[in-house]
């Protein structure tokens, strides 16, 4: 019997705002422990939470970008549970009537097929604090509490169980990260916990309608771990069922060091949390006018941009995908291609030289010294045959180092490509005279020597010869006698 996995993901994204969701405390990652707090986020008696408007805007933007219906009227709820890093004893979240519902995102599977993953909902909630144990400064059998994170604004993005493999889960999560980064609402950093992912996983015989018992998998703190952990859990369930066992509904923890999952606790049911409407917050209203304002403020989204790059600039799919992966790169390419003569040439250089330099220098585009107009100027010199690609790479390095323009460097160093056949003929005559043996071999039918002779001619012109003209001139010269 063959099994298929059924996977749904719950993704928490920490919103990139300066203050918490219901108070004015800061949200800086790595701030000194227990100092970014106030009576409100600690839930002291008598305090009242006030909703941060920007947090609502960010959540709505994500809802719009993922084709959700934005609720005009939504409500906050208390999720009650006890945990040492939750001093209030409850978390303010949304349960019934969330802010966004019924959306979807699209992913490209490895075989190029476009697949739609449904989104059940996106809701707002506050984060809990952090229990610290696995650090050097914490002794064994001791747990320290850091409540800085209490009240940090999150959106939770809940997918439909539409995902059918660990790889699809990875692609879906990558798409979500791309979206939150395009929207500028979350930095998407899994290692620092600003993007967190839990997976609900079950298996069923292929062709069956009914869902199997699911487990919830937590603690996957990198993209690579998400794929590995889900793969592991799918195989664990299949082996268990095939050997006559039964999957138990429980929460599992991914243990990255040992590459396996461990049972953590039996899974709570929704009623264990005793949800009820938050009495300290009025219902949230997002009217049509506000929603439309936010819709207009959305940037061009990655999928639309990818398709436009293919259509407008005639780029191959591969190029369009690499270039739209990050918004800053896409913006840079777009600006350069609009100014330059040859969009494919711009694409090659951005994917090649520009990305290489960013990686080598470990900088992002904001710190990259060559502006789109300056790169377009350089590439136009290649497009109109003023300089060769080889010389252009030297000029590029010089531009990085000195900040001078391509034209200035080319003029200063006399790098203009030699396309004048008269000059090249003279250089070819000298080169032929200097290499009688090789010329002899070529004329006796050793074709491969031609490459060497072209190389010598390029060298004689210090790389400035137009390769096409140099080839033609040399062919003619070698035939003549
Ligand atoms: Zn506070």
């Amino acid at each position: 019997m063959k099994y298929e996995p059924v996977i749904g993901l719950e993704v928490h994204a920490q919103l990139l705002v300066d203050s918490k969701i219901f108070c004015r405390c800061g949200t800086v990652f790595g701030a000194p422990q227990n100092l970014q707090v106030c009576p409100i986020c600690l839930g002291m008696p008598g305090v009242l939470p006030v909703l941060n408007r920007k947090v609502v805007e960010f959540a709505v933007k994500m809802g719009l970008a993922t084709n959700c219906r934005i609720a005009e009227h939504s409500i906050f709820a208390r999720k009650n549970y006890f945990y040492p890093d939750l001093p209030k004893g409850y978390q303010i979240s949304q349960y019934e009537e969330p802010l966004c519902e019924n959306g979807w995102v699209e992913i490209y599977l490895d075989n190029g097929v476009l697949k739609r993953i449904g989104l059940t909902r996106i809701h707002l909630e506050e984060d809990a604090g952090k229990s610290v144990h696995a650090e050097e400064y914490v002794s064994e059998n001791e747990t320290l509490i850091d409540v800085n994170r209490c009240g940090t604004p999150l959106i939770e993005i809940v997918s439909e169980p539409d995902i059918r493999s660990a790889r699809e889960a990875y692609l879906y999560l990558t798409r979500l990260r791309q979206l939150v980064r395009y929207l500028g609402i979350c930095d998407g950093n899994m290692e620092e916990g600003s993007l967190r992912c839990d997976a609900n996983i079950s298996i069923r015989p292929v062709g069956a309608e009914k869902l199997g018992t699911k487990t919830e998998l937590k603690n996957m703190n990198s993209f690579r771990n998400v794929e590995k952990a889900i793969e592991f859990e799918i195989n664990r369930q299949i082996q268990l069922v095939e050997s006559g066992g039964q999957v138990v509904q429980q929460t599992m923890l991914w243990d990255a060091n040992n590459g396996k999952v461990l049972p953590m606790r039996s899974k709570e049911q929704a009623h264990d949390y005793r949800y009820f409407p938050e009495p300290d917050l009025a219902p949230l209203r997002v009217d049509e006018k506000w929603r439309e304002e936010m819709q207009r403020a959305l940037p061009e989204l990655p999928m639309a941009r990818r398709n436009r790059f293919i259509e407008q600039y005639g780029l191959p799919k591969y190029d369009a995908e690499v270039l739209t992966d990050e918004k800053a790169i896409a913006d840079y390419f777009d600006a350069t291609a609009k100014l330059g003569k040859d969009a494919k040439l711009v694409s090659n250089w951005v994917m090649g030289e520009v990305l290489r330099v960013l990686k080598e220098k470990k900088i992002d585009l904001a710190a990259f010294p060559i502006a789109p107009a300056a790169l377009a100027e350089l590439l136009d010199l290649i497009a109109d045959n003023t300089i060769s690609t080889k010389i252009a790479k030297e000029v590029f390095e010089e531009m990085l180092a000195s900040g001078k323009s391509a034209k200035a460097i080319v003029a200063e160093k006399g790098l203009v490509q030699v396309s004048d056949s008269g000059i090249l003929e003279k250089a070819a005559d000298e080169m032929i005279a200097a290499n009688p043996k090789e010329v002899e071999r070529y004329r006796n039918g050793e074709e491969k020597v031609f490459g060497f002779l072209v190389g010598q001619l390029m060298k004689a012109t210090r790389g400035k010869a137009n390769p096409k003209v140099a080839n033609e001139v040399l062919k003619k010269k070698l035939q003549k006698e």
Side-chain angles (χ1 to χ4, degrees), residues 95-394:
Y95 183 56
E96 289 168 328
E97 300 191 54
L99 184 54
C100 318
E101 280 183 297
N102 298 327
W104 42 267
V105 296
E106 289 176 318
I107 56 171
Y108 279 103
L109 304 180
D110 293 329
N111 59 10
V113 170
L114 192 62
K115 175 167 178 171
R116 187 175 281 194
I117 309 287
L119 297 190
T120 316
R121 56 192 277 154
I122 301 176
H123 66 249
L124 279 167
E125 65 183 28
E126 61 178 338
D127 208 347
K130 230 165 81 180
S131 301
V132 185
H133 11 243
E135 299 286 348
E136 265 177 35
Y137 55 84
V138 185
S139 52
E140 225 177 308
N141 303 325
E142 196 177 60
T143 295
L144 301 183
I145 302 294
D146 179 7
V147 290
N148 276 352
R149 221 173 56 180
C150 288
T152 294
L154 305 175
I155 48 173
E156 180 171 346
I157 306 158
V158 182
S159 87
E160 291 286 303
D162 288 346
I163 298 165
R164 289 291 172 274
S165 69
R167 178 70 183 157
E168 279 182 24
Y170 172 87
L171 293 170
Y172 165 77
L173 192 60
T174 309
R175 177 70 78 200
L176 287 188
R177 179 179 59 173
Q178 185 189 38
L179 278 173
V180 294
R181 290 171 60 97
Y182 258 72
L183 297 170
I185 63 170
C186 170
D187 63 24
N189 189 330
M190 273 195 97
E191 283 76 13
E192 287 182 3
S194 40
L195 198 67
R196 279 171 258 160
C197 170
D198 301 331
N200 289 303
I201 303 169
S202 63
I203 55 164
R204 65 183 174 193
V206 173
E209 284 285 315
K210 200 170 158 277
L211 294 172
T213 304
K214 67 183 178 186
T215 58
E216 186 182 20
L217 187 52
K218 285 181 174 290
N219 201 35
M220 302 175 284
N221 56 3
S222 74
F223 281 80
R224 231 170 68 89
N225 274 334
V226 167
E227 200 171 350
K228 271 167 69 179
I230 292 176
E231 192 72 55
F232 186 95
E233 175 60 12
I234 293 168
N235 289 329
R236 185 190 70 87
Q237 291 189 14
I238 291 175
Q239 277 167 22
L240 185 65
V241 171
E242 283 186 338
S243 62
Q246 263 187 337
V247 176
V248 182
Q249 178 160 342
Q250 59 185 346
T251 301
M252 314 289 288
L253 275 189
W254 170 245
D255 175 358
N257 293 330
N258 296 307
K260 58 182 184 184
V261 300
L262 304 167
M264 186 168 89
R265 55 167 191 251
S266 63
K267 174 84 179 107
E268 294 87 351
Q269 305 283 332
H271 60 248
D272 292 329
Y273 291 121
R274 293 162 292 119
Y275 282 102
F276 62 85
E278 168 59 56
D280 290 340
L281 285 163
L284 172 58
R285 280 196 70 81
V286 177
D287 62 16
E288 205 179 326
K289 185 169 161 279
W290 192 19
R291 192 188 69 226
E292 281 172 359
E293 241 169 67
M294 292 184 272
Q295 177 87 52
R296 278 194 296 274
L298 287 186
E300 186 181 24
L301 297 173
M303 204 64 119
R305 206 163 207 197
R306 167 196 180 276
N307 295 337
R308 177 168 66 79
F309 280 6
I310 293 171
E311 252 174 54
Q312 181 181 344
Y313 297 119
L315 293 186
K317 277 184 202 161
Y318 174 79
D319 292 39
E321 258 151 49
V322 174
L323 293 171
T324 52
D325 189 30
E326 294 266 350
K327 183 170 179 291
I329 304 286
D331 288 344
Y332 185 86
F333 165 79
D334 219 355
T336 311
K338 274 187 186 132
L339 297 167
K341 289 176 181 157
D342 183 342
K344 176 62 179 136
L345 185 63
V346 175
S347 166
N348 292 346
W349 276 69
V350 173
M351 292 196 302
E353 299 305 304
V354 176
L355 290 183
R356 173 183 61 79
V357 170
L358 297 183
K359 204 172 155 197
E360 276 173 15
K361 296 190 190 260
K362 296 195 174 75
I363 54 173
D364 56 25
L365 264 176
F368 185 67
I370 302 178
L375 183 65
E377 182 184 299
L378 169 68
L379 301 185
D380 281 356
L381 294 175
I382 306 177
D384 64 17
N385 280 318
T386 306
I387 57 173
S388 66
T389 302
K390 188 164 168 282
I391 295 287
K393 290 197 173 158
E394 283 172 38

Side-chain angles (χ1 to χ4, degrees), residues 70-88:
I70 310 298
E72 263 194 49
H73 179 278
S74 65
I75 55 172
F76 287 94
R78 281 192 190 178
K79 180 180 184 180
N80 298 281
Y81 64 97
F82 172 77
Y83 211 73
D85 59 22
L86 187 72
K88 284 205 293 210

Side-chain angles (χ1 to χ4, degrees), residues 20 22-26 36-42 150-151:
K20 292 185 178 179
F22 301 120
C23 63
R24 290 188 175 172
C25 292
Q36 282 187 149
V37 287
C38 74
I40 295 172
C41 50
L42 289 175
C150 288

